[in-house]
Amino acid sequence: MQTLKKAEAGQVETAAAAIYDRAFVPALFGQFAPMLADAAAIAPGEHVLDVGCGTGVAALAAAELTGSKGHVAAVDINPGMLAVARSKSDAIEWIEAPAESLPLADGQFDAVMCQFALMFFADRTAALREMARVTKPGGRIALLVWEVLDRTPAYDRLVPLVGEIAGPDAAAALAAPFSLGSIGDIKDEIDRAGLKLAEHGVLTGTARHASLDAWIDTEIGGWTLSDMVSADRLRRLKAAARHHLAAHIGANGRVAFPAPARLVMIRP
């Protein structure tokens, strides 16, 4: 099914990208960008590449550390995401290209970052090899992927609930970000690329939304499910979620839950 393939590749339209940036970045993704930049040990004057940059949150965090004497480039295949990213900074070199075929010179970057994008690449082996190719000798590659679904609170209940109400394709699309959370699976991907895992660990953030409805609206409208869930099914999903996800709703109606992610370092 073409819609599902698009969803599994993390592709969104510009309207959904704007919702993603306005809602998901402050609620979830934004907090990880400085963590990833710190883990990659980005320093002033360095050249840094962000692969699968989305709306640019990690690239912007890197640019704060490289300063005016450094250079940050950011690549994404999704024009909707890049349209939002380009509006944020003229100092970053925004490039529309696939991760599997980077239009960049060998050994160009001190550090390469990839925040929550590896699981969406069509050919992960090729993408990892490309990251290594453009990294300078002695440089580093820093990756973040979400933990597996059964170790991710709230989503472990939301995904099957979406499956019940919106069908298996919608559930598969929502589960796609968690498909590479096992360290064994990540190591296998790195081994296939002919690279070596240097170190790994878990970083845990907190997902925060103003309400349960706000979270579900963000999840559906700001991600790959925007054209997969009808208005009627969205209403049914919100009603069912009030019971199934009640444990994550605070007394003030706000939603908060841990968001574990796996950090992986490669030194090509």
Side-chain angles (χ1 to χ4, degrees):
M1 180 176 181
Q2 188 167 353
T3 302
L4 180 57
K5 290 179 180 177
K6 182 178 178 180
E8 289 176 334
Q11 295 296 295
V12 301
E13 304 300 331
T14 303
I19 295 172
Y20 168 96
D21 191 67
R22 184 172 64 249
F24 253 139
V25 168
L28 181 59
F29 292 98
Q31 64 194 294
F32 285 97
M35 295 185 204
L36 181 59
D38 286 345
I42 306 301
E46 288 195 317
H47 286 218
V48 179
L49 176 66
D50 179 15
V51 180
C53 66
T55 60
V57 61
L60 291 164
E64 289 186 6
L65 297 175
T66 60
S68 59
K69 293 184 179 180
H71 176 72
V72 177
V75 173
D76 203 287
I77 197 173
N78 191 323
M81 290 289 197
L82 280 175
V84 176
R86 287 192 176 105
S87 70
K88 297 180 180 183
S89 174
D90 294 329
I92 294 170
E93 181 185 6
W94 305 105
I95 303 167
E96 184 177 337
E100 298 86 354
S101 182
L102 298 173
L104 298 161
D106 294 359
Q108 189 174 341
F109 298 95
D110 299 286
V112 173
M113 305 190 307
C114 181
Q115 177 169 305
F116 304 127
L118 181 63
M119 47 280 205
F120 296 118
F121 297 151
D123 187 336
R124 296 168 185 165
T125 301
L128 287 167
R129 286 174 178 165
E130 280 290 270
M131 292 183 212
R133 178 184 65 79
V134 302
T135 303
K136 293 179 181 179
R140 59 272 185 208
I141 300 170
L143 311 172
L144 269 180
V145 297
W146 294 116
E147 260 282 18
V148 293
L149 184 61
D150 62 6
R151 291 200 293 268
T152 303
Y155 283 100
D156 61 349
R157 295 193 174 195
L158 181 61
V159 169
L161 187 61
V162 167
E164 290 175 19
I165 293 172
D169 286 354
L174 186 58
F178 309 99
S179 62
L180 205 56
S182 161
I183 190 58
D185 289 342
I186 298 171
K187 188 177 184 303
D188 287 346
E189 296 285 355
I190 293 170
D191 289 347
R192 275 192 287 271
L195 303 171
K196 296 295 183 183
L197 175 65
E199 56 190 275
H200 66 91
V202 174
L203 301 177
T204 301
T206 302
R208 301 182 190 277
H209 297 272
S211 67
L212 183 62
D213 282 0
W215 174 33
I216 293 176
D217 282 337
T218 298
E219 201 69 57
I220 302 302
W223 192 231
T224 56
L225 282 79
S226 57
D227 57 355
M228 299 179 71
V229 180
S230 67
D232 176 65
R233 286 177 172 175
L234 180 59
R235 285 191 294 271
R236 290 166 53 200
L237 178 60
K238 288 178 177 178
R242 292 186 186 97
H243 169 69
H244 289 272
L245 294 159
H248 303 294
I249 305 172
N252 58 2
R254 292 182 172 274
V255 170
F257 51 87
R262 193 168 291 280
L263 170 69
V264 176
M265 296 296 300
I266 303 169
R267 301 185 184 277

